[in-house]
Amino acid sequence: MSASTVDFVAAIRTIPDYPKPGIMFRDITTLLASPETFRAAVDAMVAPYKDEGVALVAGIEARGFILGGALSHQLSAGFVPIRKKGKLPHETIRVAYSLEYGVDEMEMHRDAVAPGTRVLLTDDLIATGGTAEGAVKLLRELGAEIVGACFVIDLPELGGRKRLEDLGVSVKTLVAFAGH
């Protein structure tokens, strides 16, 4: 099954009023559970970057770890986790970022990325872009050259794609959903 024949929208479960009333939660676990659909999604996400010299894939906790591992494998690249504060055992750098529902912090190991390393950023969804923007700031603090950012889902009305593009980061997504 090729990415062009897969209905990724149909493979994503929508849960109304989660985690709070008025939010339509886009759940990729149904996409991940289907071997054919998961494979097609990974193939489609990797395609634009096959010849871009990606050395590392940085995945944002937690679904970005699942996607990041698969993308890293397909690109023959390493994987770097970007985690919530307090989850990494070695010396870290940290950034505060805004969420749709508040503020949080994320971190990565200080020695995870050498200056000039070509890095692809990934997560399941881009909404307001606060988390992804925080990840970009961490990667750039270490001197990474960000090749792009790829996500399964874009919620364009929330402006996250534009927020990253305003930082000079190219964004690719498989599907877009209206609303929140």
Side-chain angles (χ1 to χ4, degrees):
M1 184 178 296
S2 75
S4 62
T5 62
V6 173
D7 183 355
F8 292 118
V9 171
I12 297 166
R13 175 174 31 213
T14 298
I15 302 168
D17 299 319
Y18 183 85
K20 67 180 196 178
I23 301 296
M24 300 294 283
F25 185 82
R26 307 303 178 171
D27 178 18
I28 68 161
T29 61
T30 47
L31 178 150
L32 298 174
S34 164
E36 297 84 10
T37 307
F38 184 27
R39 176 60 188 239
V42 169
D43 288 347
M45 292 174 79
V46 163
Y49 306 103
K50 280 189 174 179
D51 298 320
E52 294 296 319
V54 173
L56 290 172
V57 175
I60 299 171
E61 189 169 342
R63 288 170 294 276
F65 292 179
I66 298 165
L67 296 167
L71 298 176
S72 294
H73 175 76
Q74 291 297 100
L75 291 167
S76 296
F79 175 77
V80 175
I82 299 177
R83 301 219 52 194
K84 294 176 181 158
K85 180 177 87 173
K87 301 285 186 177
L88 292 170
H90 192 55
E91 186 180 342
T92 61
I93 60 169
R94 181 178 302 156
V95 67
Y97 63 99
S98 59
L99 295 163
E100 192 173 349
Y101 322 111
V103 176
D104 206 348
E105 291 180 288
M106 69 174 110
E107 59 189 16
M108 60 188 299
H109 282 134
R110 182 170 296 285
D111 62 358
V113 178
T117 303
R118 294 177 58 79
V119 178
L120 175 64
L121 178 64
T122 193
D123 202 359
D124 65 324
L125 177 139
I126 180 119
T128 64
T131 306
E133 180 181 25
V136 166
K137 288 178 180 177
L138 282 174
L139 290 164
R140 286 188 171 156
E141 183 176 336
L142 293 176
E145 180 185 337
I146 301 172
V147 174
C150 61
F151 307 88
V152 175
I153 301 166
D154 183 13
L155 301 179
E157 293 172 31
L158 297 179
R161 172 190 284 269
K162 182 176 181 337
R163 195 168 173 177
L164 285 190
E165 289 172 343
D166 287 348
L167 292 173
V169 177
S170 169
V171 176
K172 305 266 190 241
T173 61
L174 297 183
V175 298
F177 284 96
H180 297 192

